[in-house]
């Protein structure tokens, strides 16, 4: 969007959540079609964590929500391959399950990162096959990660007119693909990722560990660098897209035990930090001209939770998420706050 004095800075924030990012793509696709204008033309900054970071980077690479949705449809089952069918013989089945589990526990993650890397090259490269850098983005971006060497939060950024602010001009040469790998390196699921920063390589883990909902980080960025007297923007409008979840223990105290408790605990930690960011963002956006809408898909039923996991990549799960995201957008498109954000 073009810089104009005394106008609102529009922010789009997209949560992390693996294949559940399909929901966000479907939601944005439906709104784009309804309002007849590209998502990139509605927002001044897009923040995304993990799968949300991949979507944000895709938008920065001038891809539409529909094209990014096709990315998930095409490569989801390669990134998160479904378990192969086991032998009908019970002993062999148990032995194979044991070997698979032991191998994955030993290496510290469940899935190989090579399929994700290969898939990202199809959407974050130009027509000549050149891998895009952050400076190639057509919109401002904010992508959280965690530096694994010192546990510090890291925010990869794209700036435009603010080149004179050194803090906003530190990442132009960094590869979009490496940033995507870094923000989505979810513990237990994928290995840590390396990012080359001016000739020095750093190791990163999923940004969802501290900003699974990047709304608060985006609002702080806007208020600190862009919004205020004698600046280009005078207020903030935020659309924050949450993803379907099944968070919390049941009332009877039932929960996974043993090794299965690890991913469940990780899920709960990430869901709780989403809510913390939501409360923080809503507290900061209390100005008369500020706008804030948090897309809340609602908790999944127990049956849905079994079908729609972070790594559910079968076509039925993907299309169910598409249906849920599209349905939510159809319900939201007539809300006044959505109309205000898209006009």
């Amino acid at each position: 969007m073009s810089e104009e004095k005394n106008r609102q800075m529009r922010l789009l924030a997209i949560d992390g959540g693996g294949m559940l990012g399909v929901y966000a793509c479907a939601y944005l696709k439906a709104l784009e079609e309804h309002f007849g204008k590209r998502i990139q033309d509605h927002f001044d900054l897009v923040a995304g964590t993990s799968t949300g970071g991949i979507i944000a980077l895709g938008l920065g690479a001038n891809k539409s929500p529909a094209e990014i949705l096709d990315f998930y449809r095409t490569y989801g089952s390669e990134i998160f391959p479904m378990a192969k069918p086991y032998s009908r013989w019970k002993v062999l089945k148990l032995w194979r399950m044991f070997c698979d589990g032991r191998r994955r526990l030993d290496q510290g993650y469940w899935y190989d990162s090579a399929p994700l890397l290969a898939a990202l090259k199809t959407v974050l490269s130009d027509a000549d096959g050149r891998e895009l850098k952050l400076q190639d983005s057509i919109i401002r971006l904010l992508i959280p990660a965690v530096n694994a060497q010192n546990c510090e939060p890291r925010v990869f950024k794209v700036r435009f007119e603010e080149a004179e602010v050194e803090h906003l001009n530190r990442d132009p040469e960094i590869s979009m693909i490496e940033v995507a790998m870094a923000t989505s390196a979810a513990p237990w699921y994928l290995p840590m990722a390396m990012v080359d920063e001016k000739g020095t390589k750093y190791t990163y883990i999923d940004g969802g560990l501290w900003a699974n909902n990047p709304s608060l980080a985006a609002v702080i960025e806007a208020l600190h660098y862009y919004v205020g007297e004698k600046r280009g923007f005078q207020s903030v409008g935020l659309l924050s897209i949450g993803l379907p979840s099944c968070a919390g223990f049941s009332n009877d105290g039932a929960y996974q035990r043993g090794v299965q408790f690890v991913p469940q605990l990780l899920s709960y930690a990430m869901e709780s930090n989403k809510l913390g960011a939501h409360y923080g963002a809503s507290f900061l956006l209390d100005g008369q001209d500020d706008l804030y809408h948090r897309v809340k898909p609602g908790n999944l039923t127990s049956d849905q939770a079994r079908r729609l996991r972070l790594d559910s990549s079968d076509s039925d799960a993907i299309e169910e998420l598409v249906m849920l995201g599209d349905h939510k957008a159809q319900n939201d498109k007539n809300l006044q706050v959505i109309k205000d954000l898209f006009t």
Side-chain angles (χ1 to χ4, degrees):
M1 299 181 71
S2 62
E3 286 280 348
E4 295 177 7
K5 292 291 184 182
N6 302 317
R7 74 172 184 83
Q8 187 175 75
M9 185 175 191
R10 304 286 174 83
L11 313 177
L12 172 63
I14 308 169
D15 284 9
M19 289 299 298
L20 300 175
V22 167
Y23 177 96
C25 291
Y27 184 89
L28 290 171
K29 175 177 178 290
L31 290 185
E32 187 174 78
E33 292 171 352
H34 175 72
F35 290 101
K37 195 175 181 182
R38 297 190 318 159
I39 292 297
Q40 293 94 327
D41 295 331
H42 283 292
F43 294 96
D44 300 288
L45 181 147
V46 180
T49 303
S50 195
T51 195
I54 292 174
I55 297 170
L57 287 159
L59 293 171
N62 205 21
K63 299 294 190 296
S64 69
E67 290 174 303
I68 303 169
L69 177 56
D70 286 341
F71 164 84
Y72 285 95
R73 281 175 165 147
T74 302
Y75 299 106
S77 61
E78 296 178 17
I79 298 167
F80 297 116
M82 302 294 290
K84 296 179 181 178
Y86 292 114
S87 163
R88 357 181 232 183
W89 299 96
K90 189 172 183 180
V91 174
L92 292 177
K93 176 180 177 180
L94 291 173
W95 175 251
R96 186 168 180 181
M97 289 176 66
F98 171 79
C99 291
D100 278 358
R102 179 60 184 273
R103 173 178 56 80
R104 289 166 172 167
L105 283 173
D106 286 344
Q107 66 187 13
Y109 50 87
W110 209 249
Y111 299 102
D112 184 7
S113 61
L116 174 59
L117 178 62
L120 289 170
K121 290 180 178 179
T122 68
V123 292
L124 300 180
S125 299
D126 64 18
D128 297 323
R130 180 184 66 89
E131 294 184 8
L132 298 175
K133 299 181 184 298
L134 288 180
Q135 66 185 4
D136 295 315
S137 175
I138 64 169
I139 49 176
R140 296 181 187 86
L141 296 176
L142 187 151
I143 313 293
V146 175
N147 186 314
Q149 290 148 307
N150 56 23
C151 300
E152 286 189 358
R154 172 71 156 95
V155 179
F156 296 97
K157 302 179 182 181
V158 170
R159 54 81 188 134
F160 290 130
E161 296 84 358
E162 306 81 17
E164 70 279 3
V165 181
E166 183 178 355
H167 182 64
L168 298 177
N169 194 33
R170 66 186 181 192
D171 301 333
E173 294 295 326
I174 296 178
S175 162
M176 280 192 181
I177 293 172
E178 290 185 2
V179 172
M181 295 293 290
T183 191
S184 59
W188 184 260
Y189 292 96
L190 290 164
M192 293 182 284
M194 302 291 292
V195 176
D196 187 335
E197 302 183 40
K198 298 179 180 178
T200 302
K201 292 189 176 181
Y202 297 93
T203 306
Y204 287 99
I205 311 174
D206 195 315
L209 292 179
W210 72 276
N212 208 27
N213 169 2
S215 295
L216 183 57
V219 170
I220 292 172
E221 185 83 358
L223 295 177
H224 190 70
Y225 291 110
Y226 300 104
V227 178
E229 188 177 354
K230 297 182 180 179
R231 291 182 172 180
F233 303 95
Q234 300 305 309
S235 63
V236 175
L238 169 63
L239 175 61
S240 174
I241 303 180
L243 302 181
S245 68
C246 185
F249 295 116
S250 61
N251 289 332
D252 61 8
Y255 57 91
Q256 300 285 354
R257 287 173 168 80
V259 70
Q260 291 183 326
F261 182 63
V262 176
Q264 187 180 31
L265 185 61
L266 177 65
S267 174
Y268 292 167
M270 289 189 169
E271 287 302 318
S272 64
N273 88 35
K274 285 183 182 183
L275 288 173
H278 162 60
Y279 296 139
S282 61
F283 177 79
L284 290 174
L285 296 182
D286 62 350
Q288 180 178 356
D289 297 321
D290 293 331
L291 291 175
Y292 176 40
H293 181 68
R294 171 74 172 165
V295 177
K296 301 177 182 178
N299 283 345
L300 300 173
T301 67
S302 57
D303 287 340
Q304 285 178 315
R306 281 191 288 270
R307 297 193 303 272
L308 307 177
R309 302 183 309 276
L310 181 152
D311 56 351
S312 294
S313 59
D314 60 282
S315 59
D316 288 343
I318 289 173
E319 295 313 314
E320 185 171 358
L321 287 167
V322 170
M323 179 192 69
L324 291 172
D326 181 78
H327 180 73
K328 181 63 173 172
Q330 300 305 328
N331 288 337
D332 286 359
K333 67 185 182 183
N334 292 317
L335 295 176
Q336 188 59 50
V337 65
I338 294 294
K339 291 180 179 179
D340 290 342
L341 284 169
F342 278 81
T343 56

